[in-house]
Amino acid sequence: MDALLWLALAIPAATADAIGLNEPRTAWQQLGGLAALAAAAAIWRRRPTLAFLLAAAPGEATAPSLFTVSYGMALAAFAFLLGRHGPRARPALLAFAAVAAAGTAKVVVRDVDPVVEWLVLMATLLFGAVFPWLAGRYLRQSRALTASALARADQLEREQRIVADRARLRERARIAQDMHDSLGHELSLIAVRAGALQLAADLPEHHRAAASDLRVAAADATDRLRAIIGVLRDERDEPAPLAPPGETVEQLVARAAESGLRVRYVADGTEEPGPAERLAYRVVQEALTNAAKYAPGAPVTVAATRADPRTTTITVTNGPPREPGSPPGGGSGLADLHTRLAALGGDLDAGPHGEGFRVRAVIPADAGVPMGAGVPVDAVPLPAGTLAHARRRTVLAFGAAAATGAVLIAGTFGWYAYTKTHSVLKPADFAALRVGAPQADVAAVLPERGVNDPPVERAPSPPPPGADCRYYRASGQLFTSSTHFRLCFENGKLVDKTVIPKAGASGTSGTSGTSDVSGTGGDGGHR
């Protein structure tokens, strides 16, 4: 791949001179340029900035304005690769600044028109380096944003699976809690009925023994149920949402009384159905289950009051058991209720009260928001418009660079046209000048500007030693080769006038002969 890249860039570098698109260069200059391109092709993956500088060096060494057919393609190619693979923009900007500074320094020290050369340098750097770099950087950002969007989609899918798994765990916990509450309560009522049957005076002894066994079996079943439910429930999970019961608190107390539990219900008549009623049902159910299990035969009082419009207070109090039993509090039902009420802004207090036990719950009126409700994955905002924003920024950067380039090109062309058209010495005026004329008289017919980059290599003879020579164009035509005039002054007098033919033409000028100005409308010049 790197070898093919070097070969593609080396072809124009090696053939441009042969077909006359560049000024001829020595073999060592051509070999040096090809070696620089080979080094750039070898390191562009690891050091894209250095590769760009190596590609710019031959072009800047060949032409101060950086514009050259031999290395223009290499400059653009490595600028594109710099934008495509360069991780940061700062090294590239520093590289562009270094190339601009080196070209500016070379323009300053050369005897050329600095304004035109500098504008050409800036335009070449902009269109031959900055634009390709921006194109490569756009592709890099586009691919990076696409990869980021795909990673974001994968992350959202993983989060959705996690949310679904947590929902299944919460549902499992809810089912386990419902099984514990409903079945535990029913088993407790069975134990209460068996206990009442055991104490019946007219029951035969063997039936009394069977009732006792039934009561013990119901209590053991309740313990086994708690153990099984403990396997299904995860204590790290948030409490499961309450399922609406199929009966009210008053109906629950009445059914417990029918089962043989000595319970009465006291209410001020202000409780209202809704979320608070469901929590109140759950508190009463758990308290009655504990009373039937740990205080069989003890009287139980369930009271529901509303001291203010914002809360409902449920109080379940039981007396001492008729028979000694295990102390209450061995299960997790009251602990779960305490956690849930605390999260909803309520409170639950359970503990000894006199010779018995009391459960007191303060339930907010607006309690009922399901606990552990997660945020749907669809509600997670995606980084909408990120790619569009990046594209807009890139388009604006391209637009700003294009506008800057247009200004540079317009300025370069304008200055070029101005300098060329204001440095024209009419052939008739040149022909009228005579060697030995005072410089002041000659200056009267000269244009306001001279040529700063004359074609001295085409001059038929060298200028007189020590003379002050000035060059002018014979025509104001742009973008074409033109005949030039050379006027040399010494000691305030014109000492030489020479015609420099345009490229492809021939002309002669001697110290005592005439200069050919054919096609310019003038006649010979003498020295």
Side-chain angles (χ1 to χ4, degrees):
M1 178 65 181
D2 295 342
L4 292 177
L5 175 63
W6 174 81
L7 182 62
L9 299 177
I11 291 175
T15 58
D17 293 352
I19 60 179
L21 297 179
N22 281 333
E23 292 293 336
R25 293 174 297 157
T26 65
W28 288 108
Q29 289 177 329
Q30 292 185 353
L31 291 177
L34 294 177
L37 294 182
I43 67 171
W44 70 269
R45 298 179 188 274
R46 302 185 304 275
R47 297 287 189 85
T49 304
L50 181 58
F52 168 76
L53 292 175
L54 288 174
E60 200 154 52
T62 302
S65 60
L66 196 63
F67 181 77
T68 172
V69 177
S70 297
Y71 304 107
M73 183 182 297
L75 180 72
F78 284 104
F80 174 82
L81 294 175
L82 175 59
R84 180 66 182 83
H85 296 276
R88 295 181 300 169
R90 184 176 181 182
L93 297 178
L94 292 177
F96 297 152
V99 173
T104 301
K106 192 172 181 180
V107 167
V108 170
V109 299
R110 290 181 74 248
D111 187 17
V112 294
D113 188 348
V115 177
V116 174
E117 292 291 339
W118 188 82
L119 289 175
V120 173
L121 169 67
M122 292 296 104
T124 304
L125 184 63
L126 179 66
F127 288 94
V130 176
F131 272 18
W133 175 74
L134 287 176
R137 190 165 180 81
Y138 172 78
L139 289 179
R140 175 185 176 86
Q141 291 180 345
S142 179
R143 292 192 179 185
L145 288 174
T146 302
S148 177
L150 292 176
R152 175 69 173 172
D154 292 340
Q155 179 184 358
L156 289 178
E157 290 181 359
R158 289 193 300 269
E159 290 178 358
Q160 188 175 14
R161 288 194 295 269
I162 292 173
V163 169
D165 292 341
R166 288 188 60 84
R168 285 192 293 269
L169 291 175
R170 284 196 299 268
E171 182 65 15
R172 186 183 70 175
R174 186 192 66 79
I175 295 173
Q177 186 67 47
D178 288 347
M179 291 176 62
H180 175 272
D181 296 343
S182 59
L183 295 181
H185 180 72
E186 297 299 331
L187 289 174
S188 297
L189 294 183
I190 292 174
V192 170
R193 287 180 178 270
L197 185 61
Q198 180 184 357
L199 297 176
D202 57 346
L203 194 67
E205 186 63 26
H206 64 281
H207 288 170
R208 185 176 290 109
S212 176
D213 294 340
L214 178 60
R215 182 175 62 82
V216 172
D220 292 342
T222 303
D223 293 336
R224 287 195 298 273
L225 176 64
R226 181 183 299 110
I228 295 173
I229 296 306
V231 174
L232 292 177
R233 300 180 66 241
D234 188 350
E235 297 298 333
R236 296 173 298 177
D237 288 341
E238 299 166 346
L242 288 174
E247 57 187 354
T248 64
V249 173
E250 185 175 3
Q251 292 171 342
L252 172 66
V253 173
R255 189 162 61 85
E258 293 175 357
S259 299
L261 190 66
R262 298 172 59 191
V263 58
R264 66 188 183 94
Y265 179 64
V266 179
D268 59 7
T270 59
E271 66 272 11
E272 298 177 0
E277 175 72 12
R278 293 197 293 271
L279 268 174
Y281 181 97
R282 177 69 184 85
V283 170
V284 173
Q285 185 184 55
E286 182 66 24
L288 292 181
T289 301
N290 289 339
K293 179 177 181 181
Y294 299 112
V300 182
T301 302
V302 178
T305 59
R306 293 193 66 180
D308 59 76
R310 296 188 301 273
T311 59
T312 299
T313 302
I314 299 294
T315 305
V316 182
T317 307
N318 62 268
R322 292 182 180 179
E323 299 178 2
S326 301
S332 60
L334 292 177
D336 289 344
L337 285 173
H338 181 273
T339 301
R340 188 173 309 175
L341 285 171
L344 295 174
D347 187 29
L348 186 139
D349 178 51
H353 180 72
E355 296 182 355
F357 195 84
R358 184 181 70 178
V359 176
R360 184 175 180 273
V362 179
I363 305 172
D366 57 351
V369 178
M371 298 295 297
V375 179
V377 174
D378 294 341
V380 179
L382 290 174
T386 302
L387 184 58
H389 178 66
R391 287 175 175 171
R392 282 195 301 270
R393 288 194 308 171
T394 305
V395 170
L396 289 176
F398 269 109
T404 305
V407 171
L408 287 175
I409 292 177
T412 301
F413 176 79
W415 183 256
Y416 172 79
Y418 175 80
T419 57
K420 298 305 180 183
T421 55
H422 286 73
S423 61
V424 176
L425 175 60
K426 296 179 180 180
D429 294 337
F430 175 80
L433 297 176
R434 294 292 179 263
V435 174
Q439 184 174 355
D441 294 342
V442 175
V445 298
L446 296 181
E448 60 180 273
R449 296 182 57 86
V451 176
N452 292 329
D453 52 346
V456 294
E457 68 281 356
R458 298 202 304 265
S461 61
D468 178 21
C469 297
R470 304 175 186 179
Y471 298 85
Y472 302 94
R473 290 170 57 90
S475 171
Q477 293 180 350
L478 304 179
F479 306 110
T480 60
S481 179
S482 173
T483 300
H484 285 67
F485 299 136
R486 184 180 70 193
L487 300 178
C488 297
F489 300 90
E490 188 176 1
N491 297 325
K493 294 183 178 181
L494 178 65
V495 296
D496 177 75
K497 51 177 293 189
T498 301
V499 176
I500 302 177
K502 61 183 178 181
S506 62
T508 59
S509 179
T511 58
S512 60
T514 61
S515 299
D516 181 17
V517 290
S518 59
T520 63
D523 47 23
H526 301 275
R527 174 178 168 221

